[in-house]
Amino acid sequence: MNKLKEKFAKFMYGRYGTDRLNMFLVIVLLVCAVGNLFVRNAYFSMVLTSWEFLLIILIYYRMFSRNISKRYAENQKYLNVENRVRRFFGRNKYIQQQRKEFHIYTCPGCKQKIRIPKGKGKVSIRCPKCGREFVKNS
């Protein structure tokens, strides 16, 4: 068993291995495989099977590649997209949490979002960005 580990480690030396993009591709592969179990349409099943085959080839190609800089650049592009998606959903989640205690108004001049506590009645709001004043109920 130990010799097998050594041989595999020697084989993988100088190769890229796995990263977050490969993990994402594995998840997509599993979703395609599970989706293929429930599909009754032969054409759609054939499309899913071909996607599974292509994903397996891509995963192994990336894992065993010796062009480490190119695989690293691909992973960085994926991480940038993933972070944008996470920030988008995190921002929306934060806004929904804030709406429990605050009204969120948009400045008519510069479209800046302004947070005002609920239950203060009619208030005059001065935009911190452009200085425009407007009146709203809180």
Side-chain angles (χ1 to χ4, degrees), residues 13-47:
Y13 182 77
R15 297 182 191 273
Y16 187 66
T18 189
D19 58 7
R20 292 279 295 266
L21 177 55
N22 263 7
M23 290 299 172
F24 175 74
L25 292 174
V26 167
I27 291 169
V28 171
L29 174 67
L30 291 174
V31 168
C32 285
V34 169
N36 205 0
L37 293 174
F38 298 106
V39 171
R40 299 283 185 234
N41 187 342
Y43 175 75
F44 195 66
S45 178
M46 184 180 68
V47 170

Side-chain angles (χ1 to χ4, degrees), residues 74-111:
E74 291 169 355
N75 189 49
Q76 289 303 312
K77 286 180 185 177
Y78 166 74
L79 289 175
N80 286 337
V81 171
E82 181 184 285
N83 286 334
R84 274 191 252 136
V85 170
R86 285 182 187 264
R87 270 184 279 153
F88 174 78
F89 286 110
R91 187 178 313 125
N92 285 345
K93 182 180 176 184
Y94 175 75
I95 289 172
Q96 291 304 319
Q97 289 173 344
Q98 293 295 311
R99 287 184 191 257
K100 294 176 185 174
E101 300 174 23
F102 299 95
H103 282 287
I104 299 175
Y105 295 112
T106 304
C107 174
C110 65
K111 307 297 185 213

Side-chain angles (χ1 to χ4, degrees), residues 21-72:
L21 177 55
N22 263 7
M23 290 299 172
F24 175 74
L25 292 174
V26 167
I27 291 169
V28 171
L29 174 67
L30 291 174
V31 168
C32 285
V34 169
N36 205 0
L37 293 174
F38 298 106
V39 171
R40 299 283 185 234
N41 187 342
Y43 175 75
F44 195 66
S45 178
M46 184 180 68
V47 170
L48 280 178
T49 305
S50 61
W51 272 101
E52 292 171 23
F53 182 70
L54 290 173
L55 282 170
I56 289 172
I57 290 173
L58 181 62
I59 290 167
Y60 278 115
Y61 174 77
R62 291 191 79 254
M63 190 183 305
F64 296 133
S65 174
R66 290 187 184 264
N67 192 349
I68 294 173
S69 60
K70 192 165 186 173
R71 302 293 87 80
Y72 180 78

Side-chain angles (χ1 to χ4, degrees), residues 1-11:
M1 186 68 173
N2 216 6
K3 282 191 173 191
L4 187 62
K5 279 185 179 180
E6 288 175 16
K7 284 185 179 183
F8 185 71
K10 200 178 226 182
F11 172 75

